Amino acid sequence: MRLSVIIPVLRRDAFFVECRASVGDDPDVEVIAIEGVSPVGRARNEALSRATGDWILFVDADDLLAPGWLTVVRGMIARHPQVDMVGFGRSEKLPLEPCVLGDDREIDVSETLPDDIVDRYLWQYAYRRDLLRELHFTEFVRGEDRLFEGEALLRARRVAVCEAVLYGYRQHAASAMHALWSRQNVSDEIAWRVAWVRKLTDSGKTMSRRAWREMGLYLLEYIPYDGRQVVDPSERRAVRECWFAALAEVDKRFFSAWQRGVMRLLSVTRSRVLAWVLCRMPFELKRRTMFLRRHRT
C-alpha cells in the first residue's frame, strides 16, 4: 500500500522543515510539496494530479504528524479494507506524543453523516485515491478544504475512525486562519457553507440533527461575530448583503424550526439591528450570566 502526502508550501521556513521531518522517509510514502503556487487550492490540485499513491493524506506546511502516524494509518486500512476514508484525532498541543492504534470503528455513511464525521477537517482523514478522481479544490481563499472534504464524504460509503492523535495543528499569527479579515475571505466562509448545504441536499444524503443545528448556528452567527472584524465599513456592508442573500438562498429544510424562521426573517428584513438581537444577544446574555455566576461563588 503506497501513500501520498500532499503539502502545499507558501514558503520554506522552520515550520515546513519540522513538518517535513514529521512525515518521515518511508519508501512507500510519496511526499509532494508544491511551492510558490497561490492560492492554496491550486497547489493542492496540482499535487493531486501528480499523486501516485493508493491513499492520499493532506498536511499543511506549518502543522505536524505524530510519531507513529504511518503505523496507525496502515493498521486502520488493513483492519477496514472496504472503507473509502480513515479518520483520526488532532491536537493543538505541540509537540505530539507518539501515537498507537487503539479502539477504532467503521461507520456506514451511505445515507447519514454523523456528528464526529462532519466535525473532522480535511487533514484528519486519509482518502482512498479512487474516491478523489475528478474532485478538485475550489479557488476560495477560505473554506476550500472544508468543501473538498465534504464532497469526499458525499462520495464515500464507509469510513473508519479512531481517536488516536495523529495530527498536530499549529496556531500562529502568520497562518491563513489568523490573517486579517477582508470582504473576500468572509464572503468565502459564507459561500462554502452555502455550497456544502446545496451539494449535500442534491446528493440525497443528510447529516445528523446535531450537525445540521451546528451548521445553522454558523450561518446565523457568522456576521454578528466575525463580520465585525472586517475593517473597512463599505466592505462590511457588502459582506452583510452577501450574508442576507445567502440566508435567502440556502435550502432550509433540515435546519431546526427556529433557525428556519430566523433565516427567513433576516433575509426579508435585511436588518443589521435585528440580526444582532436574534443572533448575537443570546450569546451575550449567556456570557454575562456565566460571568455573574462565577463571581458569586
Side-chain angles (χ1 to χ4, degrees), residues 7 11 25 29 32 38 143 154 166 173 178 184 206 208 211 215 227 241 245 248 261 271 274 280 297:
I7 310 175
R11 59 187 179 278
D25 294 296
V29 175
I32 307 175
S38 181
L154 295 182
L166 272 65
H178 292 84
Q184 182 64 55
T206 188
S208 67
M215 178 61 75
E241 287 303 307
S271 168
L274 189 61
R280 176 73 181 176
T297 56

Side-chain angles (χ1 to χ4, degrees), residues 66-290:
W69 72 270
L70 184 56
T71 301
V72 173
V73 171
R74 282 173 171 163
M76 291 185 69
I77 293 172
R79 289 168 62 168
H80 305 278
Q82 302 304 315
V83 300
D84 299 301
M85 299 163 58
V86 296
F88 37 83
R90 70 179 188 270
S91 176
E92 298 175 7
K93 296 180 179 179
L94 303 180
L96 297 176
E97 297 293 327
C99 58
V100 294
L101 179 57
D103 294 336
D104 62 353
R105 63 194 189 281
E106 187 171 320
I107 302 170
D108 184 339
V109 295
S110 57
E111 296 182 1
T112 303
L113 303 178
D115 311 340
D116 63 341
I117 293 295
V118 179
D119 286 346
R120 296 172 196 261
Y121 290 82
L122 171 77
W123 24 260
Q124 282 183 267
Y125 285 109
Y127 305 80
R128 191 182 295 275
R129 185 184 173 199
D130 290 344
L131 184 73
L132 306 184
R133 291 191 185 279
E134 299 182 3
L135 188 60
H136 302 285
F137 288 89
T138 65
E139 296 297 318
F140 289 151
V141 177
R142 296 171 66 93
E144 85 289 338
D145 53 345
R146 299 303 308 275
L147 187 57
F148 183 95
E149 171 229 344
E151 290 188 84
L153 284 172
L154 295 182
R155 294 180 173 203
R157 308 300 292 176
R158 303 192 70 81
V159 176
V161 294
C162 72
E163 298 311 316
V165 175
L166 272 65
Y167 197 92
Y169 176 69
R170 190 193 306 272
Q171 295 200 59
H172 58 96
S175 70
M177 289 302 294
H178 292 84
L180 288 174
W181 288 93
S182 68
R183 173 180 174 179
Q184 182 64 55
N185 56 29
V186 176
S187 297
D188 282 354
E189 283 280 5
I190 298 169
W192 85 255
R193 289 187 168 91
V194 174
W196 163 239
V197 171
R198 186 185 301 117
K199 289 175 183 292
L200 179 63
T201 304
D202 292 344
S203 73
K205 289 189 180 184
T206 188
M207 294 188 291
S208 67
R209 176 179 291 184
R210 177 182 171 275
W212 275 110
R213 185 169 62 246
E214 290 297 317
M215 178 61 75
L217 289 174
Y218 275 122
L219 286 170
L220 283 173
E221 295 179 348
Y222 216 87
I223 296 303
Y225 291 98
D226 297 312
R228 298 176 307 157
Q229 299 183 54
V230 178
V231 178
D232 187 292
S234 63
E235 288 205 341
R236 201 155 51 232
R237 286 192 294 272
V239 166
R240 277 201 302 271
E241 287 303 307
C242 172
W243 180 60
F244 288 134
L247 295 183
E249 176 189 359
V250 70
D251 189 325
K252 304 179 180 69
R253 285 180 292 171
F254 300 102
F255 294 118
S256 65
W258 74 268
Q259 289 174 337
R260 293 197 301 270
V262 171
M263 287 180 187
R264 289 194 178 104
L265 185 60
L266 293 178
S267 63
V268 170
T269 62
R270 295 178 177 255
S271 168
R272 179 168 57 92
V273 174
L274 189 61
W276 191 92
V277 171
L278 294 177
C279 302
R280 176 73 181 176
M281 186 177 286
F283 173 81
E284 288 288 343
L285 291 174
K286 180 180 178 181
R287 184 180 66 82
R288 294 184 185 188
T289 300
M290 292 177 64

Side-chain angles (χ1 to χ4, degrees), residues 46-87:
E46 184 175 336
L48 271 175
S49 69
R50 299 185 188 180
T52 63
D54 305 299
W55 287 78
I56 308 289
L57 191 143
F58 298 94
V59 181
D60 285 351
D62 48 2
D63 295 337
L64 300 169
L65 293 175
W69 72 270
L70 184 56
T71 301
V72 173
V73 171
R74 282 173 171 163
M76 291 185 69
I77 293 172
R79 289 168 62 168
H80 305 278
Q82 302 304 315
V83 300
D84 299 301
M85 299 163 58
V86 296

Side-chain angles (χ1 to χ4, degrees), residues 3 5 7 16-32 59 63-70 74:
L3 193 145
V5 178
I7 310 175
F16 170 73
V17 172
E18 192 176 0
C19 171
R20 178 62 186 86
S22 75
V23 176
D25 294 296
D26 187 283
D28 289 326
V29 175
E30 171 187 56
V31 180
I32 307 175
V59 181
D63 295 337
L64 300 169
L65 293 175
W69 72 270
L70 184 56
R74 282 173 171 163

